[in-house]
Amino acid sequence: RICFPPAGGASTDFFPVSRTRSPGIEVLAIQYPGRQDRRTEPLIDDLHVLADVLAPVVRPWCDGPPVYLYGHSMGATLAFEVGVRLTQEGAAPRALVVSGRRAPSTFRDERVHLLSDDDFIRDLDRLSGTDPRLFQDPQVVEMILPALRNDYRAAETYRYRPGPRLDCPVVALIGDEDAQVTVEEARVWSEHTTGRFDLGVYRGGHFFINDHAADVMRVIREVAAGRTPALPGQAIALRG
């Protein structure tokens, strides 16, 4: 499976995923430009451009065992865009699993990336996805804020470009207290595939996956095994 990190994230975010993988499943985590071992490379603040860059990197892996894409938050949108490009090249992923993100064609006028540093950090703290102690160190803030703000800009300025749908199953997972996505917005993911769609609603906020990591990994393993996952608050739409 190929994993796409959320805004401000890095490939190391998925070390816990790799430790819980099933035998025979290889976990490949995408490293975006401008962070960790790629910190000297320019940041990319356009998800369409970033998908254009990443799709050729992912493409060779599609010639081997089945490829499954997973992304959280901004990473979900990016995984979708990469999946669209792979599908157009005849190398469609076997399935797409997304979490913490509304469907690409839904729109919100969000401008968090334009906030002052203090207000921006307060908004990050609201989502509870970053250890608040990190923002107490000015040097750490100086190091991580550019990538975070860049990714927020990329996510908030993203606009869906109508085109062919995916032809693989899509599974969407959200938290019932996540202000970033409603159940209605998540259901719209069903319109982006001709395959089966499943929706799971967990207790929690935007980073509900931190509290339900074991179950989320179970869902991903079941999808990778070609089974229909058992999901909380499940809503299913069948497409053909």
Side-chain angles (χ1 to χ4, degrees):
R1 73 183 78 116
I2 299 177
C3 302
F4 295 76
S11 60
T12 51
D13 294 352
F14 293 107
F15 279 161
V17 177
S18 62
R19 288 198 295 266
T20 62
R21 67 182 176 88
S22 298
I25 297 179
E26 185 174 10
V27 177
L28 303 174
I30 296 294
Q31 185 77 292
Y32 304 142
R35 61 214 75 197
Q36 293 188 349
D37 57 319
R38 301 186 68 183
R39 62 185 178 276
T40 60
E41 300 178 38
L43 294 163
I44 298 177
D45 63 1
D46 184 315
L47 293 187
H48 290 288
V49 173
L50 187 53
D52 287 340
V53 170
L54 294 177
V57 176
V58 174
R59 176 63 182 85
W61 294 96
C62 299
D63 294 329
V67 165
Y68 304 83
L69 305 182
Y70 167 69
H72 180 73
S73 194
M74 181 194 80
T77 304
L78 189 54
F80 164 76
E81 287 291 344
V82 170
V84 168
R85 286 156 176 75
L86 295 176
T87 300
Q88 291 174 328
E89 294 181 10
R94 183 66 60 89
L96 171 67
V97 180
V98 295
S99 60
R101 187 65 176 170
R102 58 189 178 273
S105 57
T106 61
F107 172 75
R108 291 189 188 184
D109 185 12
E110 297 175 313
R111 306 181 184 187
V112 175
H113 70 281
L114 297 176
L115 295 176
S116 66
D117 286 353
D118 289 343
D119 289 340
F120 185 72
I121 290 171
R122 273 192 287 272
D123 192 82
L124 293 174
D125 189 49
R126 177 181 60 83
L127 293 178
S128 302
T130 306
D131 188 337
R133 291 173 297 182
L134 293 177
F135 296 121
Q136 297 173 7
D137 186 331
Q139 290 184 321
V140 172
V141 170
E142 183 179 0
M143 179 176 61
I144 67 175
L145 210 56
L148 276 164
R149 192 182 290 278
N150 172 88
D151 290 356
Y152 264 66
R153 182 183 302 109
E156 293 179 342
T157 60
Y158 168 82
R159 300 293 182 268
Y160 170 65
R161 297 172 182 172
R165 292 186 289 175
L166 297 175
D167 57 9
C168 65
V170 173
V171 178
L173 310 174
I174 65 171
D176 61 0
E177 298 178 358
D178 186 359
Q180 301 296 103
V181 54
T182 66
V183 171
E184 291 72 23
E185 289 173 322
R187 283 194 179 121
V188 181
W189 277 103
S190 67
E191 300 177 8
H192 292 279
T193 181
T194 61
R196 181 187 179 95
F197 171 71
D198 293 270
L199 171 63
V201 183
Y202 290 82
R203 291 188 179 277
H206 188 60
F207 285 95
F208 70 93
I209 54 175
N210 293 338
D211 296 323
H212 302 279
D215 196 59
V216 171
M217 293 306 105
R218 173 192 60 78
V219 169
I220 294 175
R221 287 195 299 270
E222 290 180 354
V223 171
R227 299 192 295 268
T228 300
L231 298 170
Q234 189 173 10
I236 301 176
L238 294 179
R239 300 275 173 176

